[in-house]
Amino acid sequence: MPVTRRTARSTRRRRRQSAPTTAGYGAGHGRAAREEPQGESQSVNTTSSDGHDEYHALLARRDAMRLRQQLLSPSARPDPGPWVSAARRAHGQPYDGAADQQVITRQLPLVTPFGKLIGHLYDAMFERHPYLRSLFPDSMDFQRVHLERAFWYLIEHLDQPQEVADFCARLGRDHRKLGVRPVHFEVFEQALAEALRRSAGARWNEEMEQAWLRMVRFAVGAMVDGAAGALAEPPYWNATVTAHELRGPDLAVFRVRPAEPFPYQAGQYTRIQTPLLPLTWRPYSIACAPRPDGELEFHVRRTAPGGVSEALVTGTRAGDQLRLGPAQGSMVLDGDPARDVLIVAGGTGWATARALLEELSRRPLHRGTHLFVGARTLEELYDTTALARLEKNCSWLRVVPVIGEESGAAESGSVADAVARRGDWSGHAAYVSGPPMMVTATVYGLTALSLPPDRIHHDPVDGTLPPAARPSRAGAPVAITGG
């Protein structure tokens, strides 16, 4: 069902009659690819948005008290309880992740494919704590995909505990907007233990379960510390839509003004929640470098009926209120002014490219920059005015349009092939954003052209998990897009 103001109003009336006000672990997670997957339909959740706001207000007061305590007694650390204390000790002590990785990997056939394990996990969690179900969107498909990717990331990188700890600390900071508290992690661990037993059946063993639980406790310890380190910032930012323009039947460009200063760097993204779909967050790239007026710009393509993208494209107008999560992503400009830059963008991945180009134009030392911008047709180059302005004003910028199979463009065919045909990029820093297949093909192509992987920057396929430093398991997508 399409998301409209009328259906949202009627649903909000129903919500006020129901629902507990405690957040559950992972509630409202955004999707992997800054857009809903094709064919996903998100109906409006029937939990109490008013109660959810009251819960967040209570959390804000509690966080303010904790921040005051930190400022008055910097060395003091409140006791969060025995389970989280144990998780913190696991995070603070040298962790033999490689050993647990071997145990988990060796016994993966007992619990894979993960769909069954995750189904058992949520069943166990909601059986023990039914009120938690009301904190998730009506469709759990998105949550299941997100959790499966998180499991794969942890398992594949468990032999690199510092990388996992850094990632989980950022994740803990982001989870504050969901109202996740330490007790919810304990509930999650209990449900995971039950799910492992149900999935493995008679082949379950203590060694496997303990390896999984140590992995989770290590990750949770980092998440708790990441959340504690972010007490000085809001869990989310309220923002007002100041302009909204349709650039086609399924694409909108809009600007918002946050009520408080919103810190970010060019190339990062944020998760957006619309009041038309409470508890549902989706990641979108910020399409501008930081501006003096504090406004942010977003480019959103509608990808599925009833989802966040449809609400933002067709159900949003100037004056509406949105919520923004903290800025995330590592696709920011490096600090080497002597190295030339390669930017490859497709679809609404142009948003990230535009922000990076704006930032480059402000720097005193201009770096030689090649921009490959891809679209299926000329009509899909929806921001040509901004592109032409940048090309005119930036003598150091070379723009190569790649327009599907049409003639008349500087290049035709795939963007990845066009980049490969254009020369040696081994001395450049590369930034890639767009549809997943395009990003994956481009990254593989640049690697084959001897560009070191640590100089190829892209966001992950789900907008949350960091890009793999080494090849992922076969068949796994490795890049994200805003397209």
Side-chain angles (χ1 to χ4, degrees):
M1 177 178 65
V3 178
T4 66
R5 294 168 183 271
R6 180 176 297 176
T7 58
R9 282 197 300 268
S10 63
T11 303
R12 280 197 291 270
R13 285 196 295 270
R14 292 195 300 272
R15 284 197 208 103
R16 281 193 281 268
Q17 305 171 6
S18 67
T21 60
T22 307
Y25 174 79
H29 266 91
R31 182 198 179 240
R34 299 193 186 174
E35 301 275 3
E36 294 88 339
Q38 294 292 335
E40 177 186 354
S41 177
Q42 285 282 357
S43 59
V44 178
N45 192 285
T46 57
T47 58
S48 171
S49 58
D50 294 340
H52 200 252
D53 288 344
E54 292 172 6
Y55 173 67
H56 275 280
L58 290 172
L59 293 184
R61 288 195 288 271
R62 186 176 187 276
D63 284 347
M65 293 172 62
R66 293 175 63 201
L67 178 60
R68 181 175 182 274
Q69 182 178 357
Q70 284 186 6
L71 294 174
L72 294 175
S73 304
S75 61
R77 195 177 198 184
D79 181 10
W83 185 86
V84 172
S85 294
R88 274 179 163 163
R89 284 196 299 273
H91 169 230
Q93 296 297 321
Y95 173 52
D96 190 357
D100 281 345
Q101 184 185 55
Q102 291 179 4
V103 173
I104 293 171
T105 303
R106 186 173 67 249
Q107 304 193 60
L108 271 179
L110 301 184
V111 294
T112 52
F114 280 149
K116 183 178 179 181
L117 174 71
I118 291 169
H120 288 318
L121 188 154
Y122 282 123
D123 287 346
M125 188 161 64
F126 298 148
E127 286 167 6
R128 296 185 181 188
H129 306 277
Y131 71 91
L132 288 178
R133 182 61 184 90
S134 65
L135 273 301
F136 288 79
D138 289 346
S139 170
M140 291 294 293
D141 293 344
F142 184 81
Q143 268 62 35
R144 295 172 190 272
V145 171
H146 175 87
L147 185 55
E148 178 173 354
R149 287 173 173 152
F151 280 160
W152 278 120
Y153 171 77
L154 289 175
I155 294 168
E156 291 176 350
H157 295 80
L158 208 51
D159 58 341
Q160 304 171 63
Q162 188 56 55
E163 179 179 330
V164 171
D166 292 344
F167 161 65
C168 289
R170 294 191 295 271
L171 192 61
R173 171 179 174 247
D174 179 65
H175 271 50
R176 294 179 65 232
K177 74 180 186 300
L178 307 176
V180 174
R181 310 304 298 170
V183 66
H184 299 130
F185 294 119
E186 183 173 3
V187 168
F188 179 83
E189 181 186 307
Q190 294 168 352
L192 174 60
E194 179 63 28
L196 290 168
R197 292 170 183 258
R198 294 183 185 181
S199 296
R203 295 181 293 170
W204 171 91
N205 60 82
E206 186 75 21
E207 180 189 38
M208 175 189 71
E209 179 175 307
Q210 290 305 311
W212 273 84
L213 297 187
R214 282 191 298 268
M215 176 180 73
V216 168
R217 287 172 185 162
F218 178 79
V220 165
M223 290 181 69
V224 171
D225 283 344
L231 288 177
E233 69 179 25
Y236 56 81
W237 283 254
N238 293 308
T240 302
V241 179
T242 58
H244 187 282
E245 177 188 357
L246 289 176
R247 297 284 178 90
D250 63 349
L251 190 144
V253 172
F254 62 90
R255 297 195 303 275
V256 305
R257 179 176 291 119
E260 301 176 72
F262 182 85
Y264 76 98
Q265 298 180 68
Q268 291 191 301
Y269 62 91
T270 179
R271 285 184 171 78
I272 298 178
Q273 177 187 264
T274 164
L276 298 177
L277 289 173
L279 309 181
T280 306
W281 298 78
R282 293 292 182 267
Y284 294 99
S285 297
I286 303 169
C288 58
R291 295 173 171 172
D293 62 6
E295 287 200 350
L296 312 177
E297 182 170 308
F298 296 95
H299 302 174
V300 177
R301 187 182 302 279
R302 180 176 56 188
T303 59
V308 173
S309 63
E310 182 178 59
L312 293 175
V313 172
T314 64
T316 300
R317 64 188 65 166
D320 287 350
Q321 299 294 308
L322 301 174
R323 285 180 176 175
L324 312 177
Q328 299 184 72
S330 58
M331 195 170 151
V332 298
L333 294 173
D334 61 32
D336 186 352
R339 192 178 300 283
D340 288 344
V341 176
L342 169 66
I343 299 176
V344 185
T348 52
W350 159 246
T352 305
R354 176 175 164 175
L356 293 171
L357 289 169
E358 288 184 2
E359 179 65 24
L360 283 167
S361 70
R362 298 175 182 179
R363 298 196 171 186
L365 295 176
H366 293 149
R367 304 161 66 174
T369 302
H370 276 79
L371 167 67
F372 288 77
V373 56
R376 288 175 295 183
T377 65
L378 283 169
E379 291 72 22
E380 288 194 5
L381 288 177
Y382 62 88
D383 202 26
T384 53
T385 301
L387 179 59
R389 182 176 64 250
L390 283 165
E391 187 175 18
K392 178 182 178 181
N393 296 334
C394 302
S395 60
W396 41 268
L397 174 63
R398 297 290 179 268
V399 178
V400 181
V402 183
I403 312 298
E405 301 296 335
E406 293 186 9
S407 60
E411 288 279 357
S412 62
S414 77
V415 178
D417 290 343
V419 171
R421 287 194 297 265
R422 281 281 175 147
D424 178 15
W425 308 108
S426 59
H428 289 62
Y431 300 83
V432 188
S433 60
M437 291 182 65
M438 185 219 83
V439 174
T440 302
T442 303
V443 169
Y444 285 162
L446 289 172
T447 303
L449 292 171
S450 301
L451 183 58
D454 62 351
R455 283 199 266 117
I456 304 174
H457 306 276
H458 62 88
D459 285 319
V461 72
D462 69 348
T464 302
L465 305 182
R470 57 176 182 255
S472 294
R473 65 191 184 282
V478 296
I480 134 170
T481 101

